[in-house]
Amino acid sequence: QQQVKQSPQSLIVQKGGIPIINCAYENTAFDYFPWYQQFPGKGPALLIAIRPDVSEKKEGRFTISFNKSAKQFSLHIMDSQPGDSATYFCAATRSATNKLIFGTGTLLAVQP
Amino acid sequence: DSGVTQTPKHLITATGQRVTLRCSPRSGDLSVYWYQQSLDQGLQFLIQYYNGEERAKGNILERFSAQQFPDLHSELNLSSLELGDSALYFCASSVGLAGAGETQYFGPGTRLLVL
């Protein structure tokens, strides 16, 4: 059973565009929602994370929007750059464990 | 560079064989996690160790086992290998005290190819 659903599978935007990646979860016990960025040949790296007690979090050009009632959260990348081209994974976990449940990933290409 | 090291970087072996993947966590981190990344299953949590003790288990096959040693490095043992075990295996580490919300730092991975 897939507990975190992620869409789209791939995304192409022009430089300066605002790609949006969406995730939905099922387990209401989840209380921490990180986003990871992965470049080819590298391990995932934490980008930004949010807890369900806030509806939005910004760090630089990256923003997470969180809708607790809909059990959905999304990543927005402002003023996207070719260097942002990577695979993005949403994830979820709960306080009893730090076991990350990952979405299926979104391959983002930012064209110059 | 996350500070997590994994060896070897690549591993090619045959079906039925046994391999050992090694992970050294960041200095000071007590928790080690193992994840498997494959095209069909995505990124999946396998197992977590905290200060030498197993803390959480995920979708880890019975043919796979892991341990964390007193110096905190960890090894993932994969035995009776099958073609479907071909994947990227990542180790991650965290301080290990705060539960959810602790940043997990991922290593560069070991790419396993079973022929």
Side-chain angles (χ1 to χ4, degrees):
Chain A
Q1 179 187 11
Q2 185 182 359
Q3 297 188 54
V4 180
K5 295 183 179 179
Q6 182 172 347
S7 63
Q9 193 173 17
S10 62
L11 192 51
I12 300 174
V13 299
Q14 297 295 314
K15 179 183 173 183
I18 306 176
I20 301 172
I21 304 171
N22 300 299
C23 285
Y25 63 97
E26 300 166 1
N27 189 344
T28 55
F30 289 148
D31 57 6
Y32 179 67
F33 302 87
W35 284 88
Y36 278 80
Q37 180 188 55
Q38 185 179 25
F39 292 104
K42 303 289 187 182
L46 180 67
L47 193 61
I48 185 173
I50 197 167
R51 294 191 183 277
D53 52 346
V54 297
S55 59
E56 186 176 277
K57 183 174 181 180
K58 290 183 181 180
E59 282 186 8
R61 295 184 294 107
F62 301 93
T63 299
I64 300 178
S65 297
F66 190 88
N67 185 330
K68 188 174 180 179
S69 61
K71 293 188 286 185
Q72 294 175 348
F73 57 111
S74 59
L75 176 70
H76 298 61
I77 305 176
M78 306 301 177
D79 187 29
S80 59
Q81 302 296 314
D84 296 330
S85 298
T87 300
Y88 292 81
F89 293 93
C90 61
T93 188
R94 58 188 179 92
S95 294
T97 173
N98 211 3
K99 176 173 75 172
L100 290 171
I101 307 299
F102 283 93
T104 49
T106 296
L107 179 60
L108 171 67
V110 181
Q111 296 182 335
Chain B
D1 183 4
S2 67
V4 178
T5 60
Q6 289 186 249
T7 57
K9 191 167 185 176
H10 301 278
L11 199 49
I12 302 175
T13 188
T15 54
Q17 294 298 304
R18 172 189 169 96
V19 297
T20 298
L21 313 183
R22 183 187 170 103
C23 167
S24 292
R26 293 188 324 149
S27 176
D29 284 358
L30 298 178
S31 269
V32 169
Y33 312 78
W34 286 97
Y35 291 86
Q36 180 193 58
Q37 185 174 35
S38 62
L39 283 176
D40 55 342
Q41 297 290 329
L43 255 172
Q44 289 213 334
F45 169 80
L46 295 178
I47 197 164
Q48 176 199 3
Y49 278 82
Y50 172 75
N51 204 19
E53 300 289 327
E54 182 183 304
R55 174 65 67 88
K57 226 170 183 177
N59 299 323
I60 187 165
L61 300 172
E62 286 191 11
R63 300 183 284 108
F64 296 1
S65 64
Q67 55 183 333
Q68 186 179 26
F69 294 86
D71 67 351
L72 301 177
H73 91 272
S74 178
E75 292 181 356
L76 179 67
N77 300 294
L78 315 176
S79 61
S80 302
L81 285 167
E82 301 175 359
L83 296 178
D85 297 327
S86 296
L88 261 171
Y89 290 85
F90 287 106
C91 167
S93 74
S94 72
V95 174
L97 299 175
E102 271 196 354
T103 299
Q104 292 185 30
Y105 296 88
F106 281 73
T110 293
R111 185 173 294 278
L112 173 67
L113 180 59
V114 182
L115 299 175

